[in-house]
């Protein structure tokens, strides 16, 4: 298989058909017939799954993977990457913000530059709110200051990877995944590919503020222990402050003045209390992550696969046995894997 195209989808029923047409056309012009399109249904509550099944039944190039529930964008993507079989792998969003037609020039760049990763860099972002643009801008810059790995600015998950780069990526077992950073971490030759990001074709963003925040915290904690060092910086600052305060109190006492009590005392107590709580919370954030990783659960659970008959060997997740519950009297009666 020359090329795999991996597409995580969450409630994208309006995009799927056009997406399939454009991606298939782009793949055909670039590599002929030797490609697969992998849709990963991330627990959609709309008609995405039946539509995917239909597309997979009609087009032999399509494999549709149904996760057992919503696992989140990065894990859905991981499932697709784990299951795909191509020598080169394109990651693309389902909402057509990243034009599939860029596949050909990206393949060309990969050949010309002898690169293992060609990652899309957003020159412009159409149809995104000023708030999203501003927070994304700030986030990528904060991230690059906080981390030792050079995570490219303004790059999303839209990228083309070689098989050896993907295999290296799949060797990283962590739960809290920030894939664009992890790809930067694995190294090899990676080249940027500037492009204009289009407007979402249909539907709303699947990244509300809450999920964006989670994603940002995952990225920061996953790639940097700088927040933990904050405690020592703040501690140092407070110690210096206290020395100055002691000197001042000694001076005032020697000069025969007495210092007004309640207000200053309260201020010190409140400030120190707040700083301690904040540092505790930061540590809690890392401990929670440690706990999560320590459990060592599979990263995703696949309920069924349409368009491929054998059970794929996967490294990071779990694929339910399609034959185990088939026609069982009490089962839900789903008929997985045709
Ligand atoms: N997505 C997903 N699971 C989720 C949220 C999003 O698989 O829980 C997919 C979504 O269908 C899309 C991609 O991740 O293909 C990026 O999401 P979206 O376009 O909503 O993000 P934005 O472009 O607004 O940052
Ligand atoms: Mg989008």
């Amino acid at each position: 298989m020359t090329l795999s195209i991996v597409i995580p989808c969450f409630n994208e029923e309006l995009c799927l058909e056009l997406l399939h047409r454009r991606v298939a056309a782009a793949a055909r012009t670039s590599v002929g017939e030797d490609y697969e399109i992998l849709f990963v249904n991330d627990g959609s509550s709309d008609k995405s799954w039946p539509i995917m099944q239909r597309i997979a039944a009609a087009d032999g190039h399509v494999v549709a993977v149904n996760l057992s529930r919503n696992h989140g964008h990065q894990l859905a993507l991981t499932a697709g990457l784990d299951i795909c079989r191509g020598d080169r792998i394109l990651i693309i969003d389902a909402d057509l913000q990243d034009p599939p037609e860029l596949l050909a020039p990206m393949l060309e760049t990969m050949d010309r530059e002898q690169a293992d990763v060609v990652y899309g860099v957003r020159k412009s972002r159409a149809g995104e709110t000023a708030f999203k643009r501003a927070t994304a801008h700030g986030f990528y810059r904060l991230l690059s200051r906080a981390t030792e790995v050079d995570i490219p600015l303004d790059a999303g998950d839209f990228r083309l990877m070689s098989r050896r780069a993907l295999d290296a990526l799949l060797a990283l077992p962590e739960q809290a995944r920030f894939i664009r950073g992890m790809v930067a971490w694995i190294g090899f030759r990676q080249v940027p590919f500037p492009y204009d990001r289009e407007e979402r074709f249909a539907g709303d963003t699947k990244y509300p503020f809450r999920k964006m925040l989670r994603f940002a915290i995952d990225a920061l904690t996953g790639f940097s222990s700088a927040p933990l060092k904050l405690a020592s910086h703040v501690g140092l600052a407070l110690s210096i402050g206290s020395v100055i305060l002691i000197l001042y109190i000694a001076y005032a006492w020697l000069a025969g003045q007495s210092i007004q009590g309640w207000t200053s005392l309260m201020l010190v107590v409140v400030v120190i209390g707040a700083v301690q709580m904040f540092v505790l919370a930061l540590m809690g954030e890392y401990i929670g992550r440690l706990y999560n990783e320590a459990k060592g659960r599979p990263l995703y659970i696949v309920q069924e696969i349409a368009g491929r008959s054998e059970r794929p060997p996967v490294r990071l997740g779990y694929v339910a046995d399609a034959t185990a519950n088939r026609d069982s009297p009490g089962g839900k009666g789903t008929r997985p894997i045709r």
Side-chain angles (χ1 to χ4, degrees), residues 93 95 97 128 197 200 205:
D93 280 355
D95 56 3
Q97 281 194 289
E128 290 187 335
R197 193 152 210 239
R200 182 173 246 287
T205 173

Side-chain angles (χ1 to χ4, degrees), residues 28-183:
R28 195 163 300 121
T29 38
S30 306
V31 300
E33 291 300 319
D34 196 20
Y35 68 92
E36 65 177 356
I37 301 175
L38 239 129
F39 291 114
V40 182
N41 176 37
D42 188 16
S44 302
S45 53
D46 65 358
K47 298 235 158 45
S48 295
W49 177 243
I51 296 173
M52 281 180 198
Q53 277 179 306
R54 207 171 59 226
I55 295 175
D59 180 351
H61 293 290
V62 174
V63 178
V65 176
N66 197 16
L67 298 187
S68 60
R69 62 172 171 83
N70 180 258
H71 282 71
H73 176 204
Q74 300 289 299
L75 292 180
L77 181 53
T78 302
L81 294 174
D82 209 357
I83 293 171
C84 77
R85 295 186 291 197
D87 298 329
R88 290 176 172 191
I89 301 92
L90 178 76
I91 303 174
I92 190 168
D93 280 355
D95 56 3
L96 290 166
Q97 281 194 289
D98 313 316
E101 292 72 26
L102 295 179
L103 172 63
M106 284 171 99
L107 283 166
E108 223 168 82
T109 308
M110 181 172 253
D111 287 333
R112 192 181 58 241
E113 305 269 346
Q114 299 274 301
D116 281 282
V117 177
V118 177
Y119 58 92
V121 174
R122 297 149 182 181
K123 278 193 290 185
S124 68
R125 296 161 157 255
E128 290 187 335
T129 58
F131 176 74
K132 173 121 190 177
R133 283 205 303 271
T135 47
H137 186 88
F139 165 67
Y140 284 116
R141 271 132 198 101
L142 172 71
L143 189 65
S144 80
R145 294 194 57 159
T147 57
E148 295 91 58
V149 193
D150 263 330
I151 299 174
L153 297 175
D154 301 316
D157 286 322
F158 182 43
R159 65 188 66 226
L160 184 67
M161 298 176 74
S162 68
R163 174 45 70 177
R164 74 168 180 185
L166 178 64
D167 282 342
L169 177 69
L170 292 174
L172 311 189
E174 61 246 53
Q175 288 277 344
R177 292 178 98 70
F178 178 64
I179 291 175
R180 54 201 73 166
M182 294 164 68
V183 173

